[in-house]
Amino acid sequence: MSSVDEPIFEAEETGEAEALLDVPADHLWVGAVPEAQSPAEMPTVYLDWKVAHTLQLEGQRSIKEDREVAGILLGTASGDSQVIKVSHIAIARDEDSSPVHFKFTYSVWDDLMDQMEEMSRVAGEELKLVSWYHTHPNMAVFLSRYDLRTHRDFHRPYQFALVLAPRVGTADTSVGFFCNRGENLPLLPGLRLYGAPPRREVAGLLPWRFQVVEVEGIEEGEPGDAEDEVTREHVVPVLHQIGLVKGEDPRWLTLGEDRAEGAVLPILEGMAASVVETKADRIGVLLGSKTPDNHITITRVRFLGSMSEDPDQEHVDIVTSLRFMASTFPAAGKQKILGVVRIVSPHRFRAGDVYDPLENNIRIAQLLGEVGYDLDQVPFQVGLVLYPGIEKGTLLFQVFGQYKTSPPLPKTSLQALALASQRPNERWEPVDGLVFEVEVTPGLDISDLASAPPPRPVRPPAAAPAPANADTPPPADPDTTGSGIDWDQLPEEAQGEASSFSGALLLVGGMVALLGLLLAFILLSGRGDDADPAGATGGTEPIVALAGIDPYTWQISGCGSTWNPGLPCVPFAEAEDTTDSVDLLVLQRLPEYAEHTFEPIQVWLIPTDGRPKQDLTRRNVGENKYAFAVQRTEGSWGKTWGDATVFDATLVILPRGAELLGDDELTFLRRTETIRIAGPPPIEE
């Protein structure tokens, strides 16, 4: 451990490097080393004095109450993430905490996001979530393995983890700012305080001791962890040889274990069961490490969002996601992209069909070449294809090895860590050759896979992590990667069926009913253009996902009783002259939404003619049901609605912040609908 007794204070003026970011003109350097000795690769952090003082008080509250406290820090960052300005703090409610843990529950995160939204509104700008913090009362500055798991969701280069370690009987507090720099989490040696009192007063009010080396921390947890450790000793995965070893080295590919998520093999089996249920292929990226002789160990799988049924669009979706992931997991890093897995839905097959996986976006080297990934760093790549639900009690698979851009070569074996009781070597059967020939119509039996652990795809990080315990194991990570879901607008007669079955598409049972429903969808979708719009009732028409995940359904509800999709929407047509807010749509959040993201839902109205976009106001109108309203208040009426003429706009529904971040891991949850809308007249004085 390395620290100093007193922080170094230096009065400085801001340089020109931060000219593009709204940073204070003056600041006070506080740190363990002089500012000139701060490594150039580390970010420059500006911290508002009020936030710093609040953090100090939070540390003392943690000591007084003898439990961990936590929260998030908000602010802005430069485009290159080298300059970070922390301007706001949101304190989490203490719903479940102890001296050695703090649990971020769903309700805690909902409250934090509400605080973030309100602070952004008051500040007049979109604040970013730049850090999460928690305390280690009477302990040291370190990140436990559960802290590291929580922080994996804060992977953006401008985000950091802050640990405050106050001690009883003193105001002195050790602090550690763990910054994201590649695969590492170096400790920030100091920062710039702005809005602070005179330097002579800061040392007494902010007795921080910056650590620049992480100490070896104890393993945190609640009483009973010791017994849990004993139990875990009896369920340690063992290495299984799967398939038939032919010409390849039997160690060429190993499905290993992620310290936080567990063994990769049961994760794949859980997702395979999900594919049988949802009837939609899933594609995942395989991450891990390799030896100099190209022995590959996969330690993590990140599933992309549901892919388009159009092969060309699917290719675009995959490349878009890979481009984002390539920046997160560079080829020169410790954890890198080493392959792709495709789980193929059995519902596409009939006896006699021939399926060529190499024609279905499994050539990982080609895909990585399109995003500029350095194949010299990862010359040997893996393509894995799983066929669940074809034969009873069996998971058929194909596996290919590819050296750079050479043709993929079929192999028939791999190794995998799994519990001894799972016996994957008895259930996984290789398909030899380049293509898969379907001998019998699939029986769609998933009884053996259904008992496997559920899939544990990761989230990510967008603005905040899913509910997790800072120092005790959090729940499974939701899937937050992907894009490109196709949408169809159904005629009126399909509304009842669509809303009734929007959640049921993910259930195992009712296969016959679901097949019938899909046929109905196809027929109705084909009639959509010819349907009589006048048949719409109450101005509502559901937008229903026919492919992939159903996170929510929604209805346009505020365009007037005579509206139909062929006419402009007039939100204020039936409102009083003094009404300043009208609900434009009502949205129902389905259980699948909570499984795939932790963020609140946000709706934007974005005009296509250059008018400013409008963030619709959200309010609860029932359990997991929300209404989103348009405003014509003094502040926004003139800019958005203009002269009350009709204009084209796009409704965008998405988790908060994802739309404005570009190629974000939450993109697959984005919904859009084009609408012609008429601006209301101004409110009469």
Side-chain angles (χ1 to χ4, degrees):
M1 180 177 68
S2 175
S3 63
V4 294
D5 290 336
E6 296 294 338
I8 295 174
F9 297 91
E10 297 179 356
E12 297 286 349
E13 292 187 357
T14 301
E16 297 180 359
E18 299 83 35
L20 298 180
L21 187 69
D22 181 20
V23 297
D26 300 305
H27 69 267
L28 182 65
W29 172 262
V30 183
V33 300
E35 183 172 7
Q37 296 180 16
S38 181
E41 67 273 12
M42 295 296 287
T44 299
V45 175
Y46 287 85
L47 180 62
D48 185 283
W49 162 253
K50 294 179 181 178
V51 174
H53 192 234
T54 301
L55 287 169
Q56 173 65 14
L57 295 177
E58 280 294 279
Q60 293 303 299
R61 179 170 73 90
S62 178
I63 287 292
K64 181 178 180 180
E65 299 179 1
D66 192 25
R67 62 180 176 179
E68 290 191 4
V69 300
I72 58 176
L73 302 181
L74 313 173
T76 53
S78 61
D80 60 1
S81 301
Q82 278 299 108
V83 181
I84 305 165
K85 178 185 175 184
V86 182
S87 55
H88 294 73
I89 180 173
I91 299 172
R93 296 198 307 263
D94 300 327
E95 287 189 354
D96 186 355
S97 62
S98 77
V100 292
H101 93 287
F102 185 95
K103 186 173 184 179
F104 287 94
T105 64
Y106 281 98
S107 61
V108 166
W109 274 118
D110 283 344
D111 178 66
L112 287 173
M113 293 301 100
D114 287 343
Q115 291 186 57
M116 181 175 176
E117 185 174 348
E118 177 62 17
M119 290 175 183
S120 295
R121 185 190 68 79
V122 174
E125 62 178 332
E126 189 75 17
L127 297 175
K128 294 182 177 181
L129 199 163
V130 298
S131 174
W132 70 288
Y133 74 86
H134 74 295
T135 60
H136 283 176
N138 290 312
M139 289 187 287
V141 170
F142 63 94
L143 292 176
S144 71
R145 67 177 184 270
Y146 300 121
D147 294 338
L148 290 171
R149 178 171 180 176
T150 299
H151 188 67
R152 284 168 62 179
D153 302 308
F154 293 81
H155 62 81
R156 301 187 184 281
Y158 60 79
Q159 293 176 321
F160 58 89
L162 170 58
V163 177
L164 300 103
R167 302 197 69 81
V168 67
T170 176
D172 294 351
T173 303
S174 297
V175 297
F177 292 77
F178 295 85
C179 301
N180 291 332
R181 284 302 175 262
E183 292 290 315
N184 301 315
L185 289 171
L187 282 155
L188 189 74
L191 52 78
R192 296 176 172 183
L193 277 178
Y194 68 93
R199 177 171 49 185
R200 62 181 178 275
E201 299 179 20
V202 172
L205 296 173
L206 197 69
W208 283 4
R209 284 159 173 75
F210 284 75
Q211 287 195 197
V212 295
V213 175
E214 181 180 7
V215 304
E216 182 177 353
I218 63 171
E219 287 301 335
E220 302 166 279
E222 292 288 5
D225 277 4
E227 290 79 2
D228 293 340
E229 291 294 336
V230 173
T231 303
R232 282 193 287 269
E233 290 178 1
H234 299 284
V235 293
V236 174
V238 297
L239 193 63
H240 299 261
Q241 187 69 48
I242 297 175
L244 303 174
V245 178
K246 291 185 177 180
E248 65 262 20
D249 184 330
R251 301 168 298 168
W252 81 279
L253 173 62
T254 300
L255 302 181
E257 182 180 27
D258 185 287
R259 290 182 58 189
E261 297 179 347
V264 171
L265 183 137
I267 294 174
L268 293 176
E269 290 185 348
M271 185 56 75
S274 175
V275 164
V276 174
E277 298 165 14
T278 61
K279 306 179 183 180
D281 289 13
R282 293 301 298 268
I283 293 178
V285 177
L286 302 174
L287 304 165
S289 59
K290 72 176 189 67
T291 63
D293 54 356
N294 288 323
H295 287 171
I296 290 176
T297 299
I298 303 302
T299 56
R300 192 175 180 190
V301 56
R302 301 190 69 175
F303 282 98
L304 311 183
S306 299
M307 298 290 104
S308 169
E309 295 182 1
D310 178 2
D312 293 335
Q313 182 59 47
E314 179 187 84
H315 181 88
V316 172
D317 295 340
I318 295 173
V319 171
T320 300
S321 297
L322 278 176
R323 182 172 289 110
F324 178 82
M325 292 186 64
S327 62
T328 307
F329 303 100
K334 293 181 179 179
Q335 191 173 53
K336 56 194 70 183
I337 300 174
L338 291 170
V340 65
V341 55
R342 184 182 192 106
I343 306 178
V344 185
S345 170
H347 301 83
R348 67 164 73 213
F349 296 131
R350 294 294 180 269
D353 288 349
V354 177
Y355 179 80
D356 186 350
L358 298 181
E359 297 300 323
N360 288 273
N361 295 311
I362 200 69
R363 296 174 180 261
I364 183 62
Q366 175 184 331
L367 295 169
L368 290 178
E370 293 186 42
V371 302
Y373 209 66
D374 187 0
L375 294 181
D376 289 331
Q377 296 281 350
V378 283
F380 198 64
Q381 296 285 329
V382 175
L384 177 62
V385 190
L386 304 182
Y387 302 100
I390 305 294
E391 296 181 7
K392 181 177 177 59
T394 301
L395 182 59
L396 302 176
F397 74 93
Q398 284 179 287
V399 62
F400 300 88
Q402 183 173 10
Y403 185 81
K404 292 190 176 179
T405 56
S406 63
L409 297 177
K411 298 180 179 293
T412 55
S413 72
L414 55 90
Q415 295 184 134
L417 283 173
L419 301 182
S421 60
Q422 291 182 293
R423 302 188 301 277
N425 55 320
E426 298 178 13
R427 296 182 294 108
W428 284 53
E429 181 178 319
V431 174
D432 201 357
L434 292 172
V435 299
F436 172 48
E437 298 180 4
V438 184
E439 297 179 357
V440 295
T441 299
L444 308 181
D445 184 275
I446 60 169
S447 58
D448 294 277
L449 294 179
S451 60
R456 301 186 65 180
V458 302
R459 57 169 146 47
N469 188 327
D471 295 306
T472 54
D477 297 336
D479 186 356
T480 55
T481 308
S483 61
I485 291 182
D486 290 333
W487 287 87
D488 287 321
Q489 185 166 297
L490 301 183
E492 173 67 20
E493 56 264 38
Q495 292 184 17
E497 292 182 21
S499 59
S500 299
F501 285 93
S502 59
L505 290 177
L506 296 181
L507 297 177
V508 180
M511 291 297 178
V512 176
L514 290 177
L515 288 173
L517 179 62
L518 287 179
L519 291 175
F521 278 166
I522 294 172
L523 294 174
L524 291 171
S525 297
R527 297 171 49 204
D529 293 337
D530 299 326
D532 181 10
T537 303
T540 62
E541 189 150 356
I543 308 300
V544 182
L546 296 185
I549 299 168
D550 260 340
Y552 38 71
T553 58
W554 54 277
Q555 297 176 329
I556 299 175
S557 60
C559 298
S561 58
T562 61
W563 178 81
N564 67 66
L567 299 175
C569 172
V570 186
F572 291 85
E574 299 173 359
E576 299 290 338
D577 292 340
T578 56
T579 302
D580 62 359
S581 176
V582 168
D583 292 341
L584 182 60
L585 59 87
V586 175
L587 181 147
Q588 178 73 45
R589 183 174 71 172
L590 302 178
E592 290 73 30
Y593 184 94
E595 293 176 6
H596 291 83
T597 184
F598 47 86
E599 300 229 30
I601 298 176
Q602 186 176 28
V603 177
W604 291 87
L605 178 67
I606 304 180
T608 59
D609 60 359
R611 305 173 193 231
K613 60 181 178 292
Q614 190 174 93
D615 185 3
L616 304 192
T617 304
R618 181 184 71 242
R619 63 186 178 87
N620 289 8
V621 293
E623 185 176 0
N624 287 319
K625 196 170 186 179
Y626 307 91
F628 292 85
V630 291
Q631 308 286 332
R632 61 171 177 181
T633 56
E634 181 65 27
S636 61
W637 170 81
K639 294 180 180 179
T640 301
W641 300 114
D643 54 3
T645 57
V646 175
F647 59 91
D648 293 327
T650 301
L651 279 171
V652 180
I653 303 174
L654 71 171
R656 189 178 190 279
E659 166 69 11
L660 303 182
L661 293 175
D663 293 337
D664 190 274
E665 287 191 328
L666 295 175
T667 305
F668 82 106
L669 288 168
R670 177 178 179 268
R671 301 287 185 266
T672 61
E673 177 70 11
T674 301
I675 185 173
R676 299 203 74 201
I677 193 163
I683 298 176
E684 297 294 336
E685 292 292 339

